[in-house]
Amino acid sequence: MTGTPTTGTTADDTTLRILSTGDVAGIEISLTDVVSVVEQAYRTLAEGRSDNPRKLTVKPEDGHSVAYAMLGRDGERGVVAVKTSYKYGLHEDRDKQHYYTTLTLYDDTTGLPVAMLDCGRVGALRTPAVSALLARELAAPGSRSALVIGTGTQGRLALPFLLTTMPQLERLRVFGTHPDGIRAVREQLHTHFPDRELEVVTDLRAAAEDSDIVLATAGPNTPARVDADWLKPAALSVLVGYGIAPSTLHRADRVIATSAAQMKVTGTDMADADGELRAVDAEFPEVLAGRAAGRTDPGQRIFAYNSGLVVTDIALGHRFAQLALAQGLGTEVPLWR
């Protein structure tokens, strides 16, 4: 391993440090730190110091795969990055799918490459952190219960992150169809909050009717489909993947999206019978910055769309890269020689 500095830059402009899945997995970072990094990325974007163009998407007609490309710049860290994401086998069970995602970071102060890393763990942490921030800002006053739909990558850390931003939550529920996934949700909750208990529900409607926050993280093959009629009058529903019906969007009193432009690209499955999406009332970075209202009335039923912004991947990915470089992790590849 060469003497790469720990400031986040590689040694020169001919090599690129590659951080594998194993390298990234071995880096310790707290849930609080993740939330802090993600929140800062949103605030910097709201201040106009970062750039987050709409993602590009390609998908075949039969829908067996989907690929995204996202370019962005973090003005706080002075980092430019490109993220790619490719998933194959969307109609298959989770264990038969193939998923690859990478993040390539460049230091926009020195002009040197920082690293290329597997972005799987970054996304697995970033997305539930965003959902937790949405819940903190948009849930009705006095909210005490949360229901997570789905036990995949996003569902497994959803409750620990929710408790990080909303420790007052008392009833924690999960609905899932995969025993291994349910077991993983329970394990993650007890790892981070060993004194909290998980309630596994089978009656989805009854659970939704009695939950202040409904977080849909399931995959496209889920049988779950929470309708607007099932929600409490002041409930917050957050869509990450699948598990709630389009009516939750179209009949909401207020709609908040991390990005209205990205919602138009990735939220087409929530369109109404005419193929239209409900208009977004405010974007979340502006809400966090206090420049737009989130919940304007305690009794509002709010729909929040969490599509994920590349600036949050950049900020968290850069944090991982810094920690990895400080530990001498990764492999330097003479890519441009």
Side-chain angles (χ1 to χ4, degrees):
M1 198 68 66
T2 61
T4 303
T6 61
T7 57
T9 60
T10 192
D12 54 49
D13 60 358
T14 66
T15 62
L16 179 65
R17 185 171 289 259
I18 307 295
L19 300 173
S20 69
T21 302
D23 293 328
V24 178
I27 298 171
E28 292 188 7
I29 187 169
S30 70
L31 302 187
T32 301
D33 287 343
V34 173
V35 170
S36 177
V37 169
V38 169
E39 183 170 2
Q40 181 189 57
Y42 273 129
R43 292 184 181 276
T44 305
L45 179 63
E47 293 168 1
R49 296 192 291 124
S50 294
D51 298 292
N52 194 102
R54 189 173 71 179
K55 67 175 67 174
L56 299 176
T57 308
V58 291
K59 190 173 185 179
E61 289 185 5
D62 65 1
H64 74 270
S65 70
V66 64
Y68 300 108
M70 291 149 277
L71 170 68
R73 183 181 188 279
D74 182 336
E76 175 70 21
R77 296 171 175 269
V79 175
V80 172
V82 179
K83 178 184 178 182
T84 63
S85 176
Y86 171 64
K87 181 175 285 188
Y88 176 89
L90 298 183
H91 302 317
E92 303 290 338
D93 291 337
R94 188 181 303 134
D95 59 353
K96 296 181 180 179
Q97 295 178 355
H98 299 281
Y99 180 57
Y100 311 96
T101 179
T102 62
L103 182 70
T104 308
L105 301 151
Y106 301 90
D107 189 321
D108 201 32
T109 301
T110 65
L112 297 177
V114 177
M116 172 184 282
L117 61 149
D118 168 47
C119 202
R121 189 179 178 207
V122 172
L125 292 171
R126 173 264 285 163
T127 304
V130 173
S131 294
L133 285 168
L134 286 164
R136 187 191 74 188
E137 298 297 320
L138 302 176
S143 293
R144 292 292 183 270
S145 57
L147 167 66
V148 173
I149 301 170
T151 60
T153 301
Q154 300 305 328
R156 296 176 185 186
L157 279 171
L159 289 172
F161 270 108
L162 279 174
L163 287 172
T164 299
T165 61
M166 300 184 68
Q168 71 273 22
L169 291 175
E170 298 170 352
R171 295 196 68 180
L172 309 172
R173 302 180 177 97
V174 66
F175 174 87
T177 57
H178 298 275
D180 290 343
I182 294 172
R183 188 177 306 111
V185 170
R186 191 185 302 277
E187 290 173 353
Q188 288 290 344
L189 178 61
H190 287 172
T191 294
H192 296 282
F193 294 91
D195 60 331
R196 307 303 295 267
E197 294 298 324
L198 177 69
E199 180 182 345
V200 179
V201 301
T202 55
D203 188 334
L204 183 59
R205 177 166 187 164
E209 289 175 340
D210 192 36
S211 294
D212 299 307
I213 301 166
V214 177
L215 176 55
T217 74
N221 297 325
T222 181
R225 188 180 172 87
V226 171
D227 190 77
D229 288 336
W230 301 6
L231 298 174
K232 296 175 70 173
L236 167 67
S237 56
V238 181
L239 181 60
V240 177
Y242 300 85
I244 56 179
S247 61
T248 58
L249 164 64
H250 295 281
R251 293 171 55 187
D253 296 310
R254 192 160 175 81
V255 175
I256 310 296
T258 48
S259 167
Q262 288 195 11
M263 181 173 163
K264 291 180 180 179
V265 175
T266 59
T268 54
D269 58 302
M270 297 295 284
D272 62 16
D274 297 322
E276 299 293 329
L277 285 173
R278 161 79 180 274
V280 171
D281 294 299
E283 292 188 315
F284 190 55
E286 299 295 311
V287 173
L288 264 183
R291 298 179 180 178
R295 177 178 291 272
T296 59
D297 185 276
Q300 286 177 327
R301 186 178 289 167
I302 294 183
F303 174 94
Y305 190 79
N306 178 0
S307 60
L309 302 186
V310 73
V311 290
T312 59
D313 293 291
I314 294 172
L316 190 56
H318 186 258
R319 178 63 177 147
F320 271 109
Q322 287 180 316
L323 294 171
L325 291 167
Q327 297 174 40
L329 298 174
T331 303
E332 287 191 350
V333 177
L335 187 62
W336 296 290
R337 291 182 187 172

